[in-house]
Amino acid sequence: MSHARITTNAGAPTSTLFRPQGKSARDLIAVNAGNSLEWYDWTIYTIFATAFAGQFFPSEDKAASLLAALAVFAVGFITRPIGGWVFGRYADRKGRKASLTLAMTITALGSLAIALAPSYDIIGVGASVLLLVVRLVQGLAHGGEMGTAVTYLVERAPTGRRALWGSTSWVSVFVGTILATLTGLLINSLFTLDEVSEWAWRIPFAVGGLLGLYALWLRRRIHETANTQSVPVVSEQRGSVWSRLKPHMRGVLVVMGLSAGGSIMFYTWVIYTPTQAAISRGQDPSSALTASLLAQVILLIALPLLGMLSDRIGRKPLIITFAAGFMFLVFPLDGLVDGTFWGLFLAMTGALLLIACLFAVNGAVWAEVFPTAVRAAGVAAPLSIATAVFGGTAPYLNQYFTALGQRNLFLWYLVAVAAVTLVTALLTKETKDVPLDR
């Protein structure tokens, strides 16, 4: 079997490292467009949680309503591991394209359902239950989205560009969060706080659902990866996902170890820190969202550059930088969040540059530690489990310990999880030159 696809091109000029053409370019755009909208839908929930919390969980205590809304956010992660198993298995049996198309359909319809959902005043507790059910179903789709998308991109990557192409999946994630942030700024500038709380919060969910249907159309036109096509037994696999992954437990542990640190830092610094700055540090919401937006733009620039660097020097140096950086800088970075624009901007920029070190390479590593026949399930299942355990609970635990006046406990928790990722990196062999067509 030829391994020509995986030979490196360290001597190639930088200008030629990222030049997708024809069908490859269309597929790259289609997959990442859908991924962006998946994350837009997921992120918009936290941005507007303070606005719609009272619509579904009425309470005289606004903090209690917010905690209830955030609990639903966390509960949405319960089905993510199930989605990782189901969609990963589906992608390995039926192909990456089929799995990505189905995930996009569910997410788009879920966002439209939230936009049209009746409030507590209309149907009582049924409104709370409906929101919970929709988030559970969206969590199912979201659990299979990221792992399959990364797998697809890495398998479609040209020679020596796996980290670069894998990093574009995270570029699309942050494009989605930036779109959500911009939407938050726009809605808050166009409407009063009362209008946003009463009905305007529905607009971004409606927009996300409609754009998701467009992304679905794009995904239906993508081409299957050569790796999947070269393994004819994929569609005839038998046995449970667990039984097929059991011989590859080292890869499962690598994905979980990297995903633990990545997910908790992502949901702490990207998703919830702007909201927390407004709630706990008294920062103006528009100021917090603007600082977050600018920090994410810097991250967008850093991701592909670090991906290209990794394709030259390897994956481990960047992973170690991420983990060690957070172990030593979590407390100083948190101390910068003082309720001012510049404090939040500097804190988020520092945190997001560290996150970029991991996200520029983790997609490539995830794919490189599994053979083709179990790759999608091998990535999606442990990734969604780690994200549910560490990422899904991060906003709730963050707010909970802050409300108790014990925020340092949460920060030490971040340090401990970063240490897990560091140990994972130190114990993992370099995967840059591992063949994918196996």
Side-chain angles (χ1 to χ4, degrees):
M1 181 179 293
S2 172
H3 290 166
R5 282 174 51 83
I6 55 83
T7 56
T8 61
N9 60 348
T14 303
S15 61
T16 65
L17 282 176
F18 187 43
R19 193 176 294 169
Q21 297 177 349
K23 295 178 181 179
S24 295
R26 290 194 295 271
D27 292 346
L28 180 76
I29 293 170
V31 171
N32 281 320
N35 201 33
S36 291
L37 290 169
E38 287 258 5
W39 282 92
Y40 167 93
D41 289 334
W42 200 251
T43 305
I44 208 72
Y45 185 98
T46 58
I47 290 178
F48 286 95
T50 55
F52 67 72
Q55 294 282 316
F56 294 94
F57 308 99
S59 173
E60 294 181 0
D61 185 350
K62 291 185 177 181
S65 295
L66 176 60
L67 281 174
L70 291 176
V72 171
F73 178 80
V75 168
F77 283 80
I78 291 177
T79 52
R80 286 188 64 153
I82 301 174
W85 291 97
V86 172
F87 280 84
R89 175 67 183 274
Y90 187 61
D92 285 332
R93 287 173 59 88
K94 302 297 183 181
R96 318 310 189 207
K97 175 182 177 179
S99 180
L100 289 169
T101 301
L102 180 59
M104 192 72 255
T105 302
I106 294 173
T107 299
L109 294 178
S111 289
L112 290 175
I114 294 177
L116 300 173
S119 66
Y120 190 95
D121 291 339
I122 297 177
I123 62 172
V125 71
S128 307
V129 174
L130 178 60
L131 180 65
L132 175 63
V133 170
V134 172
R135 292 299 290 180
L136 288 172
V137 174
Q138 281 190 315
L140 190 72
H142 209 69
E145 164 69 21
M146 191 64 188
T148 307
V150 168
T151 299
Y152 180 91
L153 290 168
V154 174
E155 288 180 345
R156 287 284 280 163
T159 302
R161 307 180 198 176
R162 295 200 304 236
L164 175 59
W165 273 53
S167 72
T168 66
S169 66
W170 288 108
V171 170
S172 67
V173 167
F174 286 99
V175 167
T177 61
I178 286 174
L179 287 174
T181 303
L182 286 172
T183 302
L185 285 171
L186 181 62
I187 295 297
N188 282 304
S189 64
L190 292 177
F191 303 98
T192 66
L193 290 176
D194 289 340
E195 289 173 334
V196 172
S197 298
E198 287 295 325
W199 61 270
W201 63 267
R202 297 178 183 273
I203 297 175
F205 288 99
V207 170
L210 294 175
L211 290 177
L213 295 177
Y214 172 69
L216 171 62
W217 176 78
L218 290 177
R219 283 193 170 180
R220 288 175 61 86
R221 304 174 66 196
I222 66 175
H223 301 81
E224 192 54 78
T225 67
N227 294 79
T228 304
Q229 293 171 342
S230 67
V231 184
V233 298
V234 168
S235 62
E236 303 173 2
Q237 292 176 39
R238 296 292 182 267
S240 66
V241 174
W242 172 250
S243 66
R244 292 188 297 110
L245 287 181
K246 196 172 182 180
H248 309 285
M249 283 306 299
R250 179 179 292 274
V252 170
L253 293 176
V254 169
V255 174
M256 292 195 70
L258 299 186
S259 302
S263 61
I264 197 169
M265 297 307 174
F266 176 85
Y267 280 95
T268 296
W269 288 101
V270 180
I271 302 299
Y272 194 63
T273 292
T275 299
Q276 186 188 49
I279 295 173
S280 303
R281 309 293 169 89
Q283 188 168 347
D284 176 74
S286 294
S287 170
L289 288 175
T290 302
S292 172
L293 174 64
L294 294 176
Q296 290 178 57
V297 170
I298 293 174
L299 173 66
L300 279 179
I301 298 171
L303 275 170
L305 296 177
L306 291 171
M308 287 190 289
L309 178 64
S310 173
D311 282 328
R312 291 177 176 272
I313 69 172
R315 321 307 190 202
K316 292 184 67 170
L318 294 179
I319 300 172
I320 292 171
T321 299
F322 160 85
F326 272 115
M327 289 179 66
F328 290 103
L329 295 176
V330 158
F331 279 90
L333 289 173
D334 183 73
L336 289 173
V337 184
D338 57 1
T340 66
F341 169 86
W342 286 110
L344 180 61
F345 171 72
L346 291 174
M348 288 195 66
T349 298
L352 267 58
L353 285 175
L354 289 176
I355 289 173
C357 290
L358 177 65
F359 285 9
V361 304
N362 60 4
V365 176
W366 293 339
E368 289 161 351
V369 295
F370 292 106
T372 300
V374 297
R375 183 170 293 131
V379 174
L383 168 62
S384 57
I385 292 173
T387 303
V389 173
F390 297 98
T393 58
Y396 184 89
L397 291 175
N398 195 337
Q399 181 63 26
Y400 177 76
F401 283 113
T402 300
L404 290 179
Q406 299 293 329
R407 179 161 178 75
N408 281 356
L409 291 179
F410 180 75
L411 298 180
W412 280 115
Y413 174 49
L414 295 182
V415 171
V417 177
V420 170
T421 300
L422 178 61
V423 171
T424 301
L426 294 175
L427 296 179
T428 302
K429 295 180 179 179
E430 180 58 60
T431 60
K432 180 172 73 74
D433 296 322
V434 170
L436 285 185
D437 51 347
R438 68 190 196 278

